[in-house]
Amino acid sequence: QSGRRMLVGTMRGACVGAVLFLALMSASSIALPVREPTSDKPWFCHDLDCPQFEVLETNSSKGVKYELRKYPAARWVYTMVQFDTEDDFKKAQGTAFMRLFQYISGANEAKAKIAMTAPVVDTIVPGQGPLCKNNLTLSFFVPFDFQRIGPPKPTDPEVFLTEWTEMQVYVSSFSTLPPGPSGKTLAEEAQKLADALPTGSFEASPFLSAQYDSPFRVFRRHDEIWLKKLPAAGNVKVEFLHEALCPYCILQDWKYHAAKVALASIADMRIIWWGNAKDTAAGIQCQHGPTECVGNRYFNCLQFHYPDSREEFTNCFDWSVLYEYGLRTPLSLDNFTAIAKNCSEVHKLDHLLLNTCATGDEGLKLVKSAEQETVPFGHKYVPWVAVDGAHSESAEKSVTDFVHTVCAAYKGPKPLPDICLSKALLGAPGSLPARAPHCAAEQPHP
């Protein structure tokens, strides 16, 4: 049961010990143009646009009624604010909400008035140490009229556009009195849903809470808790700790590309772009210089804005570096930008969006989030590979060893992909030394 525990209680002290998703009220009392309600819109959306979804199943357990919903990919607009304590959190909510409200009120390149939507989702990522700050991300759903054509770009440098990929979530609903549930109530409701769901069927944290009513609505208030369904239950979790210009990271990812694609049915893989960077009083210092710092941000922006295209883009980037410059030639910022621009165009990605993200506050916040994900691994070098949360030297030695390690780790119900059974193609594991070439964390930084 300990693995099922969610955050219960209020936030205390400088840093929170778990990831908490909340939601602000949707200000439906504000006079903004809205679309006419449709017959298939849930009643709790009232006269506001809200994300469409499909109910896949309904169930009840331990006194909790819940349903499994599938939400398609959709555009959102968001902002991020840092805070220290729970008292500061209330102020951060107000600051974030007003930034987005100003965006829909005309603080955008088109000076367009954009309709209010529901729900408004608020994300808290706690810091990892006693002196750290917590990060709040608040998001508005983009109205349907702009889902098709794309919303206008914000003029506030603290406001950003993004797209959420398709997701499945378990949802329970409840009701509170105005002005809405407290953080403690949200955490308790999330725990009830977690206890009602089958073990291993959902991500224990973080959770989402969606509120659809203004603080002025008294009756028939509707609040929801969302817990994300685990994708491809039983898949192996593979994490690569990389940095943008470590030559061995580039070489490893290029070599592993085909194997990673072939193993996609049984393994969920991602790269965490921080590597051996150091966060100092003078700013972030990267092992291979300032260009690598921009590169780390660029790849974090890529994963955030285009999660479904990261593998193709990364392979294009790695191949371009190997073919045009080799592993021993330092890559200048101009050369990095040229390669990134070309690979973006090849895969029909918005390079301007990614470059603006990488060189601005959004990229800085994303790379600091990558830092918080990297630190708990206690890595000694990159590339560093973790399989199901544990460091795996065998997965680092060669493509063959990587494939054997992932295939052996998979215990799910799906048939193994052909690459797991192709001994003639891959040969036996253990053909390389105990540790592949790497960029050591203790090497001096420029």
Side-chain angles (χ1 to χ4, degrees), residues 183-212:
K184 182 176 184 293
T185 297
L186 293 175
E188 290 173 346
E189 291 294 330
Q191 186 63 58
K192 290 179 184 178
L193 177 57
D195 290 341
L197 295 174
T199 302
S201 65
F202 63 95
E203 295 181 12
S205 68
F207 66 87
L208 290 78
S209 171
Q211 297 175 10
Y212 296 81

Side-chain angles (χ1 to χ4, degrees), residues 278-321:
K278 298 190 182 298
D279 198 353
T280 71
I284 296 175
Q285 295 183 356
C286 296
Q287 190 166 35
H288 300 91
T291 298
E292 182 168 74
C293 285
V294 174
N296 286 344
R297 292 190 191 188
Y298 195 98
F299 281 109
N300 276 289
C301 292
L302 169 74
Q303 293 196 144
F304 186 79
H305 288 286
Y306 297 105
D308 294 333
S309 300
R310 63 186 186 273
E311 191 68 41
E312 292 79 7
F313 178 95
T314 304
N315 189 53
C316 173
F317 179 87
D318 294 339
W319 173 255
S320 299
V321 171

Side-chain angles (χ1 to χ4, degrees), residues 74-78 103-104 107-115 117 140-155 159-163 350 353:
R75 300 176 190 267
W76 293 72
V77 58
Y78 73 97
Y103 166 76
I104 67 173
N108 53 71
E109 290 185 353
K111 298 182 179 179
K113 302 292 184 181
I114 302 172
T117 59
F140 281 11
F141 175 69
V142 171
F144 291 120
D145 286 340
F146 289 101
Q147 289 288 338
R148 290 186 291 270
I149 64 175
K153 293 183 178 180
T155 54
V159 177
F160 313 100
L161 301 173
T162 190
E163 180 176 321
D350 187 342
L353 169 68

